[in-house]
Amino acid sequence: KNLASKEAMEAGRTRAEGGSFACQAARDEARVASANLQMNQALLEETYLRAPFAGIVAEINGEIGEYVTPSPPGVATPPAVDLIDYSCLYVTAPIDEVDAGHLQVGLPARVSLDAFRDETFSGRVDRIAPYVLDLERQARTVEIDVLFEQPEVQARLLVGYSADIDIILETRDGVLRIPTEAVVEGD
């Protein structure tokens, strides 16, 4: 009805289209910001160091902000964190290669600890290393792991105690036991 000029009508249409484009640009910026947030959350997630089990942190080998990468195959690097799992304590010991041939997983063992001088703890051979360690030219050993049989013992132990292990290769019932000090050589 020609109540407004064509110029005013075109200006209004231009403002409306400009506002529509501005709204679309704001929606696009919101999507870009959301994508940036998700990317930064994913990058932050990669900076977390998660243990595969619940435990006690014994030592941290690093500094805040330091990058930690997995060790390449065959190259031992110190772990970022030493984590102790008190639910499964065991004793690791080197056994001379001469005696290793008699060992098998499941053999009973007696463990004595310097921290508990008058006590021995029962255990079982849990692992025999599939290789021989050659630490010195004449000394070759096979590493074994002995698990404690009584779970209540583990509550009293600290990681790092020194221990001696006696592996029981065979037992005989109904025999007389004489201390070594009572045996006299000769007649």
Side-chain angles (χ1 to χ4, degrees):
K1 297 184 181 183
N2 292 329
L3 295 175
S5 69
K6 283 189 176 187
E7 183 180 317
M9 182 182 76
E10 291 297 325
R13 184 176 294 146
T14 301
R15 275 194 309 275
E17 287 177 359
S20 174
F21 290 139
C23 285
Q24 183 61 41
R27 283 191 290 271
D28 291 345
E29 283 181 21
R31 279 201 299 268
V32 167
S34 176
N36 279 335
L37 176 63
Q38 288 177 355
M39 181 184 70
N40 286 327
Q41 285 173 334
L43 290 173
L44 179 63
E45 191 70 24
E46 289 180 4
T47 65
Y48 293 138
L49 188 61
R50 288 192 175 79
F53 56 87
I56 296 171
V57 174
E59 184 177 3
I60 298 173
N61 302 312
E63 297 176 13
I64 294 175
E66 183 177 3
Y67 286 97
V68 179
T69 58
S71 297
V75 178
T77 59
V81 174
D82 285 335
L83 193 63
I84 299 171
D85 179 7
Y86 271 101
S87 68
C88 180
L89 292 181
Y90 59 93
V91 177
T92 298
I95 300 294
D96 193 283
E97 70 175 330
V98 174
D99 300 321
H102 303 292
L103 299 180
Q104 56 186 315
V105 172
L107 281 175
R110 279 190 305 264
V111 180
S112 55
L113 300 155
D114 290 343
F116 304 99
R117 293 177 190 253
D118 299 329
E119 292 183 72
T120 58
F121 304 97
S122 61
R124 292 228 172 259
V125 175
D126 181 60
R127 182 185 76 91
I128 302 169
Y131 53 87
V132 175
L133 292 174
D134 183 13
L135 299 178
E136 297 176 25
R137 293 190 187 266
Q138 284 81 24
R140 293 175 187 261
T141 59
V142 176
E143 199 168 81
I144 65 163
D145 293 345
V146 173
L147 288 176
F148 290 96
E149 289 190 320
Q150 306 102 330
E152 66 277 2
V153 168
Q154 295 190 30
R156 300 172 53 199
L157 302 179
L158 295 176
V159 170
Y161 276 157
S162 60
D164 290 317
I165 297 174
D166 293 320
I167 308 258
I168 302 168
L169 298 175
E170 67 178 279
T171 58
R172 294 190 182 138
D173 294 326
V175 296
L176 179 62
R177 182 176 175 185
I178 300 173
T180 306
E181 300 85 30
V183 178
V184 178
E185 289 188 36
D187 291 338

